[in-house]
Amino acid sequence: LASQPSQYIQALNRMSRGLFPLFEQLSRHSAGVEIFEATLSKLENETRDDEGLMSHKLKTFVGYLQYRLGNFTESRALLENVMGYWEREGDVLMQALTTQGLGYLDHVGSQFAAAEQKFSESLELYRRINDDFGVANSLNNLALLRDRMGDIDEATQLHTESLEIRERLGTKTGIFASLSNLAMLAYRREDYSGAKKLHMRCGPIVRELNNKRLLALHLSNLAMVEG
């Protein structure tokens, strides 16, 4: 592969950008790691600009997927390894993605101050490049963190901001997540009527998505507020 022309690497780059969110959406994390690592092993010459870019991008994707699989040590090693490269290259999108991934690892490790700093940094990076999808996700990450830290009011405000962007973008899965999170916060404030209304708004969305896992979650949440 190292001897192939740059056009091949560019095509591989475009393909990987499409595959990564697909593996995320379908929760095919193990398959993603296997495919990306197999491709990475073929990129032997990381000193060439095109292959260096591709190898670091694949390492970033594998680092994310390893986090999803619960392999936190492997995930952190990969993401910390690539961060300096993205900063030197000035690739704001990949900086944001990598910073966000490290924030996830800090969050799951109960390093709340570090997680908040990284999620805030990723939010600003996404805003810098007008990436509304990334902005909405970063707001959601901060909301989940503030909730875990016991600040329900701030979490509600952040989830509301994220929901507004997701509704504008029409990202159904994101809208479902935001509504569900807001409903759970309302339930914990003992606003049972408000929680039920939010969960009811999830019904048409989850049926449109035709996702059995989300449907089961929706029905479980609805039963809790109705009970």
Side-chain angles (χ1 to χ4, degrees), residues 179-202 217-227:
L179 289 171
S180 297
N181 288 326
L182 285 167
M184 296 305 295
L185 291 172
Y187 181 83
R188 285 163 51 198
R189 290 197 305 270
E190 299 184 355
D191 178 9
Y192 303 125
S193 175
K196 183 176 180 179
K197 288 178 181 177
L198 287 162
H199 279 312
M200 291 295 290
R201 288 174 61 187
C202 291
L217 176 63
H218 167 62
L219 293 175
S220 174
N221 289 339
L222 196 57
M224 180 181 68
V225 298
E226 289 179 335

Side-chain angles (χ1 to χ4, degrees), residues 27 37 48 53 64 80 97 118 129 186:
S27 298
E37 285 187 339
R48 267 179 38 179
L53 172 66
Y64 244 86
E80 288 181 346
L97 186 67
K118 289 184 178 67
I129 56 175

Side-chain angles (χ1 to χ4, degrees), residues 7-52:
Q7 289 86 344
Y8 186 90
I9 301 296
Q10 292 167 6
L12 183 61
N13 183 31
R14 291 192 296 271
M15 181 187 70
S16 69
R17 289 203 306 268
L19 283 176
F20 173 64
L22 182 62
F23 288 131
E24 281 272 81
Q25 184 177 355
L26 298 177
S27 298
R28 298 291 303 277
H29 304 129
S30 295
V33 168
E34 182 179 352
I35 290 173
F36 288 144
E37 285 187 339
T39 306
L40 187 59
S41 70
K42 303 296 183 182
L43 297 172
E44 299 172 351
N45 185 3
E46 293 193 17
T47 61
R48 267 179 38 179
D49 289 345
D50 51 3
E51 292 200 17

Side-chain angles (χ1 to χ4, degrees), residues 167-188:
E167 287 182 326
R168 188 172 73 248
L169 295 175
T171 53
K172 300 297 184 182
T173 303
I175 294 169
F176 172 83
S178 292
L179 289 171
S180 297
N181 288 326
L182 285 167
M184 296 305 295
L185 291 172
Y187 181 83
R188 285 163 51 198

Side-chain angles (χ1 to χ4, degrees), residues 193-213:
S193 175
K196 183 176 180 179
K197 288 178 181 177
L198 287 162
H199 279 312
M200 291 295 290
R201 288 174 61 187
C202 291
I205 297 171
V206 77
R207 283 190 289 272
E208 182 179 343
L209 288 170
N210 194 29
N211 184 308
K212 292 182 179 179
R213 181 181 63 84

Side-chain angles (χ1 to χ4, degrees), residues 3-224:
S3 62
Q4 297 299 313
S6 296
Q7 289 86 344
Y8 186 90
I9 301 296
Q10 292 167 6
L12 183 61
N13 183 31
R14 291 192 296 271
M15 181 187 70
S16 69
R17 289 203 306 268
L19 283 176
F20 173 64
L22 182 62
F23 288 131
E24 281 272 81
Q25 184 177 355
L26 298 177
S27 298
R28 298 291 303 277
H29 304 129
S30 295
V33 168
E34 182 179 352
I35 290 173
F36 288 144
E37 285 187 339
T39 306
L40 187 59
S41 70
K42 303 296 183 182
L43 297 172
E44 299 172 351
N45 185 3
E46 293 193 17
T47 61
R48 267 179 38 179
D49 289 345
D50 51 3
E51 292 200 17
L53 172 66
M54 192 66 245
S55 65
H56 282 85
K57 189 160 291 187
L58 289 171
K59 287 177 183 177
T60 305
F61 295 159
V62 172
Y64 244 86
L65 295 172
Q66 290 285 19
Y67 160 75
R68 298 298 188 195
L69 291 168
N71 300 325
F72 303 137
T73 300
E74 294 89 337
S75 175
R76 184 175 291 279
L78 284 163
L79 294 177
E80 288 181 346
N81 176 265
V82 300
M83 177 57 84
Y85 178 85
W86 297 128
E87 290 174 343
R88 290 191 301 274
E89 290 294 309
D91 191 321
V92 178
L93 176 59
M94 294 305 295
Q95 285 181 59
L97 186 67
T98 306
T99 302
Q100 183 173 263
L102 289 169
Y104 289 147
L105 291 165
D106 288 335
H107 189 175
V108 78
S110 298
Q111 302 296 316
F112 296 148
E116 185 168 28
Q117 179 180 352
K118 289 184 178 67
F119 288 151
S120 297
E121 288 176 3
S122 69
L123 174 61
E124 291 308 310
L125 289 167
Y126 281 123
R127 280 176 169 162
R128 190 189 305 175
I129 56 175
N130 298 315
D131 186 331
D132 286 343
F133 184 83
V135 168
N137 285 344
S138 294
L139 290 168
N140 180 75
N141 293 332
L142 284 166
L144 294 173
L145 179 63
R146 297 306 301 182
D147 181 15
R148 194 173 174 195
M149 295 169 70
D151 192 343
I152 293 180
D153 290 340
E154 179 68 12
T156 299
Q157 178 60 36
L158 289 164
H159 276 309
T160 300
E161 292 177 29
S162 180
L163 174 61
E164 290 172 353
I165 297 173
R166 286 170 166 176
E167 287 182 326
R168 188 172 73 248
L169 295 175
T171 53
K172 300 297 184 182
T173 303
I175 294 169
F176 172 83
S178 292
L179 289 171
S180 297
N181 288 326
L182 285 167
M184 296 305 295
L185 291 172
Y187 181 83
R188 285 163 51 198
R189 290 197 305 270
E190 299 184 355
D191 178 9
Y192 303 125
S193 175
K196 183 176 180 179
K197 288 178 181 177
L198 287 162
H199 279 312
M200 291 295 290
R201 288 174 61 187
C202 291
I205 297 171
V206 77
R207 283 190 289 272
E208 182 179 343
L209 288 170
N210 194 29
N211 184 308
K212 292 182 179 179
R213 181 181 63 84
L214 292 183
L215 178 59
L217 176 63
H218 167 62
L219 293 175
S220 174
N221 289 339
L222 196 57
M224 180 181 68

